[in-house]
Amino acid sequence: MHYKKNPIFPARFMWGASSAAWQVEGAVNEDGRTPAIIDLNSKTKTGYADNSIASDHYHHYKEDVELMKKAGFTSYRFSISWSRIYPDDSGVPNQLGIDFYNNLIDELVKNGIEPIVTLYHYDMPVWVDKKYNGWYGRGIIAAFDQYVRTCFKEFGDRVKYWLSINEQNMQICYGKWLGVCKNDETWFEDQWKVNNIMNVCHAKAVIACHELVEGGKIGPVPGYVPIYPETCNPKDQIAAQNAEELTEKVWNDFYAHQKYNGFIKSYWRENNIDPDIRPEDLEDFSQAKIDFFGVNCYRSNTAKYAAPDAEPKDYILNKSGEKGNLQFPVVPGVYALTNNPFVKTTDWDWEIDPVAMRYSLRYIWDHYQLPMVITENGYGAHEEVAEDGKVHDPQRIQFLREQIYQVGRAIQDGCEVIGYNPWSFTDLLSTGNGMSKRYGLVFINTTDSDVRDLRRIPKDSYYWYSNLIKSNGQDW
Ligand code: BG6
């Protein structure tokens, strides 16, 4: 791609990267942490490394922050492990867990790096799951409220940017994969009850943040995959709108307007679904005004018309890392997803589409006029240390360069974007492929079958990104 004119990024733009507790920390049995459902869920996935060591960030956090500092980071997005803070149902927080995050936050602040903290990133404590039936039981609402209030009280003096629930839309759309769905047979209806409980938890977090954190800002983190219509056939346009509603817009409208939109209410009516929304939920929603959107954007999807009598198909993600192993979903009478011949794909069949970034930012800005911070965007690949001892990742550099360029274009288009935090800072466990699908700017010398020495090796992309950051987006 030829860059005729570099886009201008605002002063104090938050340049950083992202991670999530269970994907980087390791130390799952240390200092009082108890298991999370994702620890157990991971064991059912082929090729998945167990979380107990991951990138061992728990023991390497100082070295990791040092590398962020050297790269010129001004922000770092990470998540807190609920079961490190509340290992059981005693209602007593675990001081050693609090100490770990205090140390990490202090280290970041000391180095001029703004912490952006996710409260929940797929790692529900097993005790919560057992006691309240996970996201299915309304008992989780009070437990979540207690947990987030503790986080705000303990860390809110230094953490001003908070994120509620990571990719709630994806957790509903891929309920089984991400450990939320407990019963395939009834998920069609259950998912909306579960979603309502998640909405209440999100709302409680927004309310508590505003109450307890002076100057605190909080937003949701939708996984945003824009949907293009396959053709200009009007039926494809409506199919694309249907897909957009059922995978993204229902959530984003809720976050921004604090109420359910007309599309989903009518969908529930037509399908005889009762999402069990209670009067007290509506009261919480009405007070949960968000301050910004976190945006996780990796790729785009393409939709086409699906006839009412079409054969239904599930979305089966590519779990092997060999191209061509993905099955697009067909929802009869609603939409079908399909290939986009205009974009390339990764080895996991994820569309590589930098323009989707500009499209997403413009779409969210046009609909909601709220500031946005990119909380995830990245390139998953098979990688190894080369003979020269370095890690060469030209494809990631190309990916980031093109994506960041489009972020700049969106800013020029008038969108308010306050930061860019790609996935991920170091290599970490992918949700489905452990260490064999690497996203990091920094290589972690470990594999799914061999822990090795966990050495940190900055990849070529780390150095490239560092130069870009230090020039505030001018040195491509
Ligand atoms: C995002 C999640 O949806 O995608 C991350 O928030 C995840 O937790 C990332 O790791 C990449 O997905 P995957 O399946 O390649 O790990």
Side-chain angles (χ1 to χ4, degrees), residues 23 121-122 166-167 296 298 350 376 423 430-431 437 439:
Q23 294 176 272
H121 199 122
Y122 308 160
N166 186 68
E167 297 196 359
N296 288 359
Y298 290 80
W350 287 29
E376 285 184 39
W423 191 256
S430 135
T431 58
K437 188 181 186 188
Y439 281 94

Side-chain angles (χ1 to χ4, degrees), residues 188 246 267 305-308 310-313 329-337:
F188 180 71
L246 287 168
Y267 177 88
Y305 172 72
E311 186 198 338
K313 284 190 185 156
V330 177
V331 188
V334 187
Y335 69 88
L337 295 186

Side-chain angles (χ1 to χ4, degrees), residues 22 28 33-45 48 50-51 122-127 129-130 179:
W22 67 274
V28 291
R33 182 191 183 276
T34 54
I37 49 164
I38 199 85
D39 304 355
L40 311 176
N41 189 37
S42 67
K43 297 205 166 74
T44 64
K45 295 175 185 171
Y48 199 98
D50 94 49
N51 307 9
Y122 308 160
D123 49 357
M124 177 182 298
V126 166
W127 71 264
D129 193 48
K130 283 204 176 125

